[in-house]
Amino acid sequence: MTVPTLAEVANPVAMGYGVRLGQNLFQLAYADGVGLRVQAAPPEQSQRIIENPEDVAQEFGLVWSRADFGGGEGLWRAHRTDGSRLDASRYWTSENLDVSPPRVSVDARVPSELQLSRDFEQVIGTDGDTYAGPMIVTSDDRIFAVDTSPVNDEIVELTSLDATNPVATVVHTAAGTTFGTIGSIASGDPNRFLASEGRNDSGLLSGAVLYNLNGGVSGSWSTHRSANNTSFGVFFAGGRMLYSEVTSSQSVLKEILTPGTPADDVIIDTGPGNQGVSAVIDAGTAILAAWADGTIRAYQSVDGKLTVVAESDLPLRDERESVSSMVAIGDLMLIGTGVVVDALNSGAIGRLWLASLSGVIPTDYQLLKVWGEPHETTTTDFVPASMVKARNSIWIAGRHGMPITSAPQRALWRYDLTTGGLSHWSYVVNDPNSTADSMRVGSSGGRLWVSIDAFGLYREISDYVAQGEIHLPLVDHFSGDDKTWVGFKAEIEMAGVGSEVTIFWTTDPGALGSPASSQWILGKTFTVSDTGQTLYQILDPVSGVNPQSRYLALRVLVKAQTDRADTPRVRWVSTVSYPTQNDVIVEVPILISDVVRRPNRRPLRVLGHGNDVWTSLKTLEGSSVELEVYRPSEKVRGLVMSVTAPQRAQTNRGSQLEFAVVTVRGRRYT
Amino acid sequence: MLTGMSTVANLIDRIYREYLEPAHLQPSFVVVETAPSPVSTGTTFVYQAGITPPEDIDVLGIGTLIEFEGSQELARATAVDTGTRTVTMVRAVDGTTAATSIPVGARVKIAPPFPRINVFTALADAVEDLAPELWVEKSVRFPYRSQIQLAPADCVDPLTWVDLNGNEYPVSRTRGVGIAGRVHVNMQQVPAGVSGFLRYRGRVTRPTAETDDLTAAGVRAEWEKVVIAKTVAQVLAGGDLTNRLLEYMSGLLSDGERQSSGERLRNSAFAWARQLEQDAQRSLLWEQGVEAVDPPREVYQ
């Protein structure tokens, strides 16, 4: 005898079967005190994760919040096993937002708020000209930029930097009978300058290294060394004046001992032809030079002469990858690199590495950010061209598309030295071109300056950018279960007329980073009179009910007031959800009598049938099964937790009932 | 109101339909897909898949009696192949006769609780047992041979003797000396040696086939209920009384009979039959004006 199966019975309900376990059919037992029971299973573990005070609320359910955004971008899921303390202040991506962590100012502790970053404007000097790069900011807050408008480039010194039109003084005009260019400028102190120059003397190309030891304005620029078909780069590091000399046959890094007397120059290092030095920095324990072959070499003074003491290579370096910029603070280094993927169109992938200085060379490389991937055929130069360190930040400049809206922008990114968080700071100027024009960033008088070769010189202003947005991470409360998403809250300090904060939500992970996705559902637009704090319902626009899903993510769009003189400030946002208790425990009393009862049929006594049924049930104990109770309809996939020994019950009318209770714990399905 | 001709088969079907196998108490069955061949002697048949639940098939084991729908044959299963759905059997066991028609689609009852042969026998008994309470008035040529003469076998009570000229003479029932248990007629007032006819109350002839016409045999429409009740009671007496049948039957009797034992129900069924019988008798006597009785109750409307 066998237990009937679904394949053998076309219409189980008509044949009196009340429940299916796997493929086997059973009859339910009903008597006083015996019946089907379905109840929600108690949660195995608490899902409540508390990261911020805002997570603690006198509300039933799960609360997730962000009250600090300083941890930077790149957090895809809010809750993860390999997370860190900083996860509580991280998010997925942002643009044009100041997400600085709480910081101490002169007057008070500035709370961590989400606000728009400052805008940039192009600088026009008192001579009516615009300027470009290269640019340097001296330690006494003078800026030396290049005026490319004349036939020959001019080095212009800008002073009165806060004035509407800074005072512009031409301090040098590049040599050359047809045109001359300024390739780079370096300054070691307020009085000592170096510049590299390209010259075209009626078709004869040559390069030169210039020096100025008299503070720029008052002093004259003299040629230290010049050579045909040679390009030069100039650097100041560790109080030393260095320059690179690159020809087709070899590349050389030299130190100037006596300006104007190249015969005294000391060759520090050499490399293959056309492999210049892109950056030289003073890392404290050593001077580091980034060579175009991807190596970073460390030099220390040995008997007064800089000597190579160590060499570091980028990990898993693409052979086309080379260092474009470096910054070292203490034992922390940021290294910008580029991978040329389209030399013809200057297409290059940009990468930002974090490394630690172990001794004299960078080690423990961690890739922080990649720009331009996976576009291996990109024709845009995404290389982080320049970095500058400030008190609590490192600013990274490059032609990085906007992280969210993907607009082609010259932009600044910010690496926070206190949290290690990386965030998009602000766009500088729209730049639909893709040429690899160099870019420099500097800081003077508390504001940022950016020069873009052949494009212009820009400075940070007090106005805010028009709008920015942030995509917060996917919240799942460390549970794969669906949650019922109830609503969200926000505390917002609105600005003046025109300011807005709009909060969208999505249950679709694919919407993150894609503001145009239709999966972003408008939650609430806060205008001038709103302050948030109310629980705003999250309702599915189609069904009109709270959505159920594993994830929820918020998107906050911030718009400055109309004159952009002020920005709304988002202090915190939070979500409230209820755990959707998908696990149920179903207790099914199954008839194990020998008498088979079915609708409209005479009861049938099958000797041994009850024992067969009970035995088959017992073998299911501990097994995963699909349970289907026909009426009331319940479908559960789960585990048979227990099968009781045969029990008896007395029915109101008729004979005794023999049954066993099967307990299944699992999840409903449809 | 019962009207029209009733055959034995009609009543048996009605008994099944209304009492033994009502719609909510159908027996286990399989449905013939391939009939035995030859139909009366073939020893295997194939049943259709997907109709009979496995537990019912489990019951269809070796030795289980089966019955082909509409026939009085009982067969005994000797093998069941659930893979090919083939049942092998011994035909016409327990004194039954092999069916002569087993169409495809016919039901084959598994271990029928009320075999048709039993119902037929009980019904025949019930018809026969209508007498002496209920009778059919009959006459038979009955020449005078002696003062005490053996009555016809189906005679319950002699009424009068009528000569060929139509003269009627009283006769009476008397104890005979011939065949024990048979009715004898006292012909004391009948002229000796005269030929004539005996009018008597006779038994309804016991049916011998399902095709027998009960109406023609003298069973009045209102007596059919008596036959049915007696048949049901007799069949139930030999079978298990289910709870549902109990409920149904007791509902017909009295509220006090609810939740009773099988034995009490069986007795109740008999009492019911008796009551019906008495009603019919009262009706019969009233109609004939033979005895002073109360008017019959309107129990058949």
Side-chain angles (χ1 to χ4, degrees):
Chain A
M1 282 183 277
T2 57
V3 175
T5 64
L6 194 60
E8 296 170 318
V9 182
N11 187 345
V13 176
M15 286 294 110
Y17 300 105
V19 62
R20 175 174 65 82
L21 275 168
Q23 290 302 303
N24 291 342
L25 297 170
F26 300 94
Q27 294 194 312
L28 288 172
Y30 287 111
D32 280 350
V34 179
L36 179 72
R37 194 162 73 158
V38 183
Q39 61 181 347
E44 286 295 324
Q45 59 188 26
S46 170
Q47 294 173 309
R48 193 148 194 160
I49 300 170
I50 296 175
E51 294 175 325
N52 305 301
E54 288 76 9
D55 296 343
V56 182
Q58 297 302 317
E59 292 165 301
F60 172 76
L62 307 170
V63 179
W64 171 87
S65 69
R66 271 292 173 271
D68 180 356
F69 307 87
E73 64 154 38
L75 184 67
W76 177 250
R77 284 163 54 175
H79 304 113
R80 55 180 186 157
T81 52
D82 56 345
S84 69
R85 183 180 55 82
L86 280 175
D87 279 2
S89 60
R90 296 187 66 199
Y91 54 89
W92 173 237
T93 186
S94 72
E95 68 179 29
N96 288 347
L97 289 179
D98 178 359
V99 297
S100 304
R103 54 185 179 269
V104 177
S105 71
V106 174
D107 299 323
R109 184 175 177 80
V110 178
S112 174
E113 295 168 336
L114 199 61
Q115 61 184 31
L116 292 166
S117 54
R118 306 278 182 170
D119 205 354
F120 282 78
E121 68 176 4
Q122 190 167 21
V123 175
I124 299 174
T126 50
D127 57 0
D129 285 344
T130 58
Y131 317 102
M135 169 203 72
I136 56 165
V137 181
T138 65
S139 57
D140 59 350
D141 282 344
R142 289 176 295 156
I143 286 181
F144 288 81
V146 173
D147 186 348
T148 57
S149 302
V151 173
N152 289 346
D153 285 358
E154 295 172 343
I155 299 176
V156 178
E157 180 184 357
L158 296 172
T159 54
S160 302
L161 298 180
D162 290 335
T164 302
N165 299 107
V167 175
T169 307
V170 177
V171 296
H172 174 72
T173 300
T177 56
T178 50
F179 67 86
T181 59
I182 302 297
S184 57
I185 311 173
S187 169
D189 56 54
N191 294 321
R192 295 196 296 167
F193 296 88
L194 289 176
S196 69
E197 198 173 61
R199 297 174 177 174
N200 187 334
D201 290 315
S202 302
L204 179 62
L205 300 177
S206 61
V209 173
L210 310 177
Y211 67 95
N212 181 332
L213 305 179
N214 299 304
V217 175
S218 58
S220 60
W221 291 71
S222 305
T223 299
H224 171 72
R225 170 169 163 75
S226 65
N228 292 336
N229 298 317
T230 302
S231 62
F232 294 95
V234 295
F235 313 97
F236 263 95
R240 297 171 187 261
M241 293 185 287
L242 308 173
Y243 70 95
S244 63
E245 183 177 312
V246 179
T247 66
S248 59
S249 58
Q250 72 168 0
S251 304
V252 183
L253 181 63
K254 294 179 179 177
E255 179 180 1
I256 300 173
L257 296 182
T258 310
T261 309
D264 293 346
D265 291 350
V266 177
I267 295 177
I268 300 171
D269 201 357
T270 59
N274 295 325
Q275 296 283 313
V277 175
S278 56
V280 177
I281 62 169
D282 181 2
T285 55
I287 289 173
L288 301 179
W291 286 76
D293 61 0
T295 59
I296 296 175
R297 299 178 193 173
Y299 307 94
Q300 285 181 324
S301 177
V302 177
D303 297 332
K305 179 190 174 186
L306 288 177
T307 305
V308 178
V309 292
E311 180 177 308
S312 171
D313 205 353
L314 294 171
L316 301 174
R317 186 180 74 85
D318 188 300
E319 63 180 7
R320 298 164 296 178
E321 185 171 8
S322 61
V323 176
S324 57
S325 51
M326 293 188 297
V327 160
I329 297 179
D331 60 356
L332 179 145
M333 276 193 77
L334 280 188
I335 301 165
T337 67
V339 181
V340 176
V341 294
D342 184 349
L344 184 63
N345 295 301
S346 306
I349 296 168
R351 292 177 184 159
L352 183 66
W353 297 85
L354 173 68
S356 58
L357 268 176
S358 175
V360 295
I361 57 169
T363 58
D364 299 333
Y365 286 88
Q366 297 175 48
L367 186 59
L368 283 184
K369 180 74 180 176
V370 178
W371 292 278
E373 277 188 347
H375 312 295
E376 289 289 346
T377 56
T378 182
T379 56
T380 301
D381 175 16
F382 286 105
V383 176
S386 172
M387 298 186 208
V388 65
K389 54 189 176 185
R391 189 167 42 244
N392 54 16
S393 311
I394 295 174
W395 303 94
I396 303 119
R399 188 208 311 280
H400 308 127
M402 295 292 275
I404 295 178
T405 52
S406 302
Q409 306 276 13
R410 296 285 187 163
L412 286 180
W413 287 68
R414 179 179 176 277
Y415 178 84
D416 192 283
L417 288 170
T418 56
T419 66
L422 181 69
S423 60
H424 177 270
W425 176 254
S426 173
Y427 78 97
V428 177
V429 63
N430 290 320
D431 180 10
N433 299 323
S434 61
T435 52
D437 298 324
S438 186
M439 195 169 167
R440 294 287 182 273
V441 57
S443 175
S444 170
R447 61 164 65 177
L448 292 166
W449 292 72
V450 176
S451 73
I452 306 169
D453 285 8
F455 214 91
L457 178 66
Y458 296 83
R459 65 181 174 188
E460 195 178 32
I461 58 177
S462 60
D463 284 353
Y464 294 90
V465 294
Q467 76 173 46
E469 65 180 286
I470 186 169
H471 293 194
L472 296 167
L474 293 164
V475 183
D476 70 355
H477 291 282
F478 211 87
S479 158
D481 284 339
D482 281 356
K483 269 75 65 180
T484 300
W485 299 97
V486 178
F488 62 86
K489 284 182 178 180
E491 183 181 342
I492 299 170
E493 179 186 338
M494 294 303 296
V497 175
S499 60
E500 272 185 16
V501 172
T502 306
I503 296 182
F504 300 85
W505 59 266
T506 187
T507 57
D508 179 12
L512 260 69
S514 303
S517 169
S518 61
Q519 297 303 308
W520 285 112
I521 311 298
L522 174 64
K524 166 73 179 173
T525 297
F526 301 88
T527 54
V528 177
S529 58
D530 293 316
T531 58
Q533 291 273 26
T534 305
L535 181 68
Y536 297 96
Q537 285 278 310
I538 292 177
L539 295 175
D540 186 288
V542 177
S543 63
V545 300
N546 298 130
Q548 289 189 347
S549 66
R550 171 178 178 172
Y551 299 111
L552 185 95
L554 296 180
R555 169 188 167 210
V556 182
L557 180 66
V558 182
K559 291 183 179 177
Q561 68 183 43
T562 306
D563 61 5
R564 296 200 282 141
D566 200 2
T567 172
R569 291 170 174 80
V570 181
R571 298 209 174 95
W572 55 264
V573 293
S574 68
T575 64
V576 179
S577 60
Y578 296 153
T580 302
Q581 196 54 259
N582 287 324
D583 257 14
V584 292
I585 295 176
V586 185
E587 292 177 1
V588 193
I590 289 182
L591 194 69
I592 55 170
S593 300
D594 281 357
V595 177
V596 179
R597 292 176 170 82
R598 45 177 119 261
N600 303 323
R601 293 293 178 90
R602 181 176 295 281
L604 181 69
R605 182 178 297 278
V606 186
L607 292 178
H609 177 68
N611 184 59
D612 288 347
V613 172
W614 187 78
T615 304
S616 72
L617 289 174
K618 201 66 182 167
T619 58
L620 289 175
E621 211 167 37
S623 305
S624 59
V625 293
E626 201 173 77
L627 166 73
E628 181 175 5
V629 179
Y630 294 115
R631 286 172 189 161
S633 178
E634 285 284 355
K635 287 182 173 182
V636 172
R637 288 197 180 104
L639 206 65
V640 176
M641 307 292 288
S642 67
V643 177
T644 65
Q647 303 176 47
R648 284 183 176 173
Q650 188 69 44
T651 56
N652 279 341
R653 189 176 294 161
S655 54
Q656 279 189 337
L657 198 67
E658 200 147 6
F659 67 96
V661 177
V662 177
T663 304
V664 175
R665 177 179 177 142
R667 186 156 299 185
R668 287 190 171 102
Y669 73 98
T670 55
Chain B
M1 183 67 72
L2 299 172
T3 58
M5 184 188 75
S6 289
T7 63
V8 171
N10 292 150
L11 278 197
I12 291 177
D13 288 343
R14 184 179 167 195
I15 289 170
Y16 274 116
R17 193 170 62 241
E18 296 182 359
Y19 302 103
L20 301 181
E21 294 178 3
H24 62 277
L25 273 179
Q26 292 289 297
S28 297
F29 63 87
V30 292
V31 174
V32 173
E33 181 175 280
T34 305
S37 180
V39 66
S40 296
T41 56
T43 55
T44 61
F45 74 93
V46 177
Y47 59 87
Q48 294 180 11
I51 294 178
T52 308
E55 297 99 325
D56 297 46
I57 300 295
D58 286 343
V59 174
L60 182 54
I62 296 172
T64 302
L65 288 179
I66 56 177
E67 181 186 78
F68 294 100
E69 183 180 36
S71 84
Q72 295 180 8
E73 178 187 2
L74 288 174
R76 180 173 289 113
T78 56
V80 178
D81 185 335
T82 55
T84 60
R85 306 189 306 281
T86 301
V87 178
T88 306
M89 60 197 163
V90 177
R91 301 292 301 271
V93 299
D94 293 352
T96 59
T97 304
T100 55
S101 172
I102 304 175
V104 171
R107 294 193 308 170
V108 181
K109 297 177 187 175
I110 302 168
F114 306 112
R116 193 174 182 93
I117 182 70
N118 293 3
V119 177
F120 173 80
T121 305
L123 186 141
D125 290 347
V127 169
E128 194 172 37
D129 289 348
L130 287 172
E133 288 80 5
L134 299 173
W135 65 90
V136 178
E137 189 172 307
K138 299 180 176 180
S139 66
V140 66
R141 191 174 182 83
F142 201 72
Y144 180 94
R145 291 196 176 89
S146 63
Q147 186 176 334
I148 304 296
Q149 287 189 206
L150 183 63
D154 59 348
C155 178
V156 175
D157 194 13
L159 296 174
T160 57
W161 190 88
V162 182
D163 67 13
L164 298 178
N165 295 321
N167 300 314
E168 199 165 350
Y169 300 90
V171 293
S172 63
R173 174 177 171 158
T174 185
R175 183 170 299 173
V177 295
I179 301 173
R182 286 277 293 274
V183 173
H184 287 71
V185 182
N186 186 340
M187 306 267 285
Q188 189 175 8
Q189 297 184 45
V190 174
V194 178
S195 184
F197 294 86
L198 178 68
R199 286 181 55 242
Y200 65 94
R201 294 172 178 170
R203 296 177 186 278
V204 178
T205 306
R206 178 186 179 91
T208 56
E210 292 194 19
T211 53
D212 286 356
D213 184 349
L214 289 175
T215 307
V219 176
R220 299 185 179 200
E222 61 265 31
W223 297 359
E224 290 179 2
K225 197 86 174 184
V226 179
V227 172
I228 289 171
K230 284 191 168 184
T231 304
V232 170
Q234 181 170 334
V235 171
L236 291 182
D240 184 21
L241 297 178
T242 67
N243 195 42
R244 286 198 174 192
L245 187 58
L246 181 152
E247 184 179 346
Y248 179 81
M249 297 291 286
S250 58
L252 288 176
L253 293 169
S254 68
D255 288 341
E257 293 298 327
R258 289 185 185 279
Q259 296 197 30
S260 177
S261 66
E263 185 180 4
R264 288 183 63 190
L265 177 70
R266 194 160 55 240
N267 294 339
S268 298
F270 279 122
W272 177 50
R274 179 62 184 159
Q275 183 178 329
L276 291 171
E277 191 176 58
Q278 287 176 352
D279 287 342
Q281 186 186 36
R282 186 179 296 117
S283 177
L284 181 62
L285 295 174
W286 172 268
E287 176 187 298
Q288 294 185 353
V290 176
E291 296 177 17
V293 294
D294 295 332
R297 293 188 300 167
E298 297 295 329
V299 295
Y300 301 114
Q301 295 180 1

